[in-house]
């Protein structure tokens, strides 16, 4: 799809031979850039491989892994910008500006899901506040139990976006990046499109995993596959498959959600038995729930910071490219 061009019209003329040699050198240069970019992504993909997983076909998805996934997306974007900057091609500016808007949209979609997740966590904070104060007021205890139940019920199924916003962004991005303009395309332009398409694939995958995890679902809302022309395609596609296929049959993609539901069930059981008769057991159960709830807060905070860093990086890059275009337009023609 994004293979570099090769000449299929040999010539016996000396001038054409020179042109062909010059074009071959350009192709070799672009191939070298492309291979270096692919190798860097392949090496970084190893950070998303969980060696402690019980099965080679699955990975443990937790907040730490999600943060690493965002770091991988940030790395892919930075590597792409370094490559495009070294090419010094005007068309790379326009193509990046057109498609980076979708990357910003994906960041906004993830941020919205993080904010929704934080809002849901408030019900846990309320229940913990009541339980930690040692209240014996039946009404307050009943409300605390309802809050815990509300959390579990909110995780029974995915919190779907009625407008399928994430799915629409991903589909539109994939379509735009695969579009090839009519007519002959230079090797440089093919490399530009190939590079930005790679970042788009990574962005859709990471956004899909993060949003699915925070929604409390077990199946990915968006699935992607990298074409075989990418050196990292096999590793990337294996990772996508291991995330979407969960042989452990867990209810949630995010491990912390399964853990907190277990703690909620334990606290609820103690409350049913009567806190007064099981004071020590109740205190222990509440403390464990409080620790897990704290990890939810810390994890979502790290994710929010990671998304903000990517968003700001894309904005800075766009501003730099726009300034470069303005300067180029203002330069007097010779």
């Amino acid at each position: 799809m994004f293979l570099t061009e090769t000449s299929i019209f040999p010539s016996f003329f000396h001038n054409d031979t020179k042109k062909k040699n010059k074009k071959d050198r350009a192709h070799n240069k672009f191939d070298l850039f492309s291979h270096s970019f692919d190798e860097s992504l392949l090496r970084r993909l190893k950070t998303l491989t969980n060696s402690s997983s019980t099965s080679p076909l699955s990975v443990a998805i937790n907040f730490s892994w999600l943060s690493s996934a965002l770091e991988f997306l940030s790395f892919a974007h930075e590597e792409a910008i370094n490559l495009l900057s070294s090419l010094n091609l005007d068309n790379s500016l326009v193509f990046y500006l057109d498609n980076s808007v979708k990357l910003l949209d994906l960041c906004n979609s993830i941020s919205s899901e993080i904010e929704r997740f934080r809002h849901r966590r408030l019900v846990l904070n309320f229940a913990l506040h009541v339980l930690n104060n040692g209240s014996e007021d039946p009404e307050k205890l009943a409300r605390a139990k309802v809050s815990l139940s509300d959390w579990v019920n909110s995780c029974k199924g995915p919190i779907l976006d009625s407008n399928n916003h994430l799915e629409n962004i991903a589909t539109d991005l994939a379509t735009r990046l695969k579009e090839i303009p009519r007519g002959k395309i230079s090797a440089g332009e093919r490399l530009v499109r190939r590079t930005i398409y790679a970042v788009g694939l990574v962005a859709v995958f990471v956004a899909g995993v993060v949003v699915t995890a925070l929604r409390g679902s077990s199946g990915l809302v968006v699935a992607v596959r990298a074409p075989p022309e990418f050196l990292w395609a096999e590793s990337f596609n294996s990772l996508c498959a291991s995330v979407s296929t969960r042989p452990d049959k867990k209810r949630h993609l995010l491990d912390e959600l399964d853990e907190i539901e277990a703690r909620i069930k334990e606290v609820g059981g103690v409350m049913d038995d009567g806190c007064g008769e099981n004071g020590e057991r109740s205190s222990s159960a509440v403390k464990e729930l409080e620790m897990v709830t704290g990890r939810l807060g810390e994890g979502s905070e790290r994710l929010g910071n990671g998304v903000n860093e990517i968003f700001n990086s894309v904005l800075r890059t766009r501003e730099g490219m726009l300034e470069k275009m303005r300067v180029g337009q203002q330069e007097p023609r010779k």
Side-chain angles (χ1 to χ4, degrees):
M1 186 191 310
F2 292 100
L3 298 178
T4 54
E5 282 187 310
T6 56
S7 174
I8 59 173
F9 300 107
S11 173
F12 296 101
F13 292 99
H14 181 66
N15 288 338
D16 288 344
T17 301
K18 283 185 176 181
K19 291 180 180 179
K20 181 178 183 299
N21 291 336
K22 184 177 180 181
K23 184 180 293 185
D24 286 343
R25 287 195 297 271
H27 289 164
N28 291 335
K29 174 185 175 183
F30 292 140
D31 286 344
L32 181 63
F33 282 148
S34 177
H35 188 76
S36 177
F37 174 76
D38 279 7
E39 282 190 327
S40 64
L41 259 62
L42 180 60
R43 287 193 299 268
R44 194 62 181 244
L45 264 173
K46 294 180 180 178
T47 62
L48 299 182
T49 303
N50 193 331
S51 58
S52 63
S53 177
T54 56
S55 168
L57 300 177
S58 66
V59 293
I61 305 300
N62 48 39
F63 275 113
S64 177
W65 191 95
L66 294 180
S67 294
S68 295
L70 288 174
E71 290 172 1
F72 175 59
L73 172 55
S74 179
F75 174 81
H77 177 257
E78 292 297 328
E79 287 292 296
I81 296 307
N82 291 336
L83 188 154
L84 298 182
S85 299
S86 64
L87 294 178
N88 196 29
L89 298 173
D90 291 338
N91 56 4
S92 67
L93 301 181
V94 177
F95 193 65
Y96 176 83
L97 291 172
D98 285 345
N99 291 281
S100 59
V101 174
K102 293 300 177 182
L103 182 52
L104 294 176
D105 285 342
L106 286 175
C107 287
N108 285 330
S109 182
I110 299 174
S111 294
S112 297
E113 211 62 49
I114 293 173
E115 209 48 47
R116 187 181 299 173
F117 184 84
R118 287 171 176 165
H119 181 74
R120 288 168 55 207
R121 199 170 62 89
L122 292 177
V123 300
L124 295 179
N125 291 338
F126 169 76
L128 286 169
H129 175 74
V130 173
L131 296 172
N132 278 326
N133 286 339
S135 175
E136 296 184 4
D137 185 335
E139 184 177 346
K140 288 185 177 181
L141 291 174
R143 288 171 59 192
K145 190 171 183 179
V146 168
S147 294
L148 295 178
S149 179
D150 286 343
W151 169 272
V152 174
N153 290 333
S154 69
C155 291
K156 283 187 175 178
I159 303 174
L160 298 176
D161 178 357
S162 59
N163 296 320
N164 293 324
H165 187 57
L166 174 67
E167 293 86 336
N168 290 337
I169 294 174
T171 301
D172 186 43
L173 180 63
T175 301
R176 289 165 62 91
L177 293 176
K178 287 181 179 179
E179 288 177 351
I180 302 296
R182 295 179 180 178
K184 193 174 182 180
I185 305 173
S186 68
E189 186 172 357
R190 287 183 184 276
L191 177 56
V192 169
R193 289 175 171 273
R194 181 187 191 278
T195 303
I196 297 178
Y197 180 49
V199 178
L201 282 173
V202 174
V204 171
F205 167 68
V206 172
V209 176
V210 174
V211 170
T212 299
L214 295 180
R215 285 180 180 179
S217 180
S218 58
L220 292 181
V221 294
V222 178
V224 293
R225 280 187 62 83
E229 69 188 69
F230 290 111
L231 184 64
W232 43 271
E234 184 177 354
S235 296
F236 180 80
N237 293 336
S238 295
L239 178 63
C240 294
S242 65
V243 172
S244 59
T245 304
R246 308 284 290 174
D248 48 19
K249 302 296 181 182
K250 289 186 177 180
R251 206 156 79 86
H252 304 295
L253 184 63
L254 186 63
D255 286 349
E256 282 87 348
L257 292 185
D258 284 316
E259 184 180 2
I260 202 163
E261 284 197 10
R263 302 287 79 78
I264 288 175
K265 183 177 180 180
E266 184 178 347
V267 170
V270 173
M271 293 177 71
D272 288 338
D273 294 339
C275 293
E277 300 176 3
N278 301 278
E280 185 175 340
R281 181 185 167 202
S282 174
S283 177
S284 175
V286 171
K287 284 182 179 179
E288 289 183 6
L289 176 59
E290 188 172 23
M291 285 191 295
V292 179
T293 302
R295 288 201 291 271
L296 291 184
E298 294 169 0
S300 60
E301 190 70 24
R302 287 199 305 272
L303 290 184
N305 292 337
V307 175
N308 288 338
E309 288 178 6
I310 297 173
F311 187 89
N312 291 331
S313 175
V314 176
L315 279 184
R316 287 194 299 270
T317 302
R318 286 177 55 83
E319 290 172 358
M321 288 188 171
L322 286 171
E323 181 63 25
K324 185 176 181 180
M325 290 181 68
R326 282 193 291 267
V327 171
Q329 293 171 354
Q330 292 173 1
E331 290 181 351
R333 296 182 179 178
K334 295 181 180 181

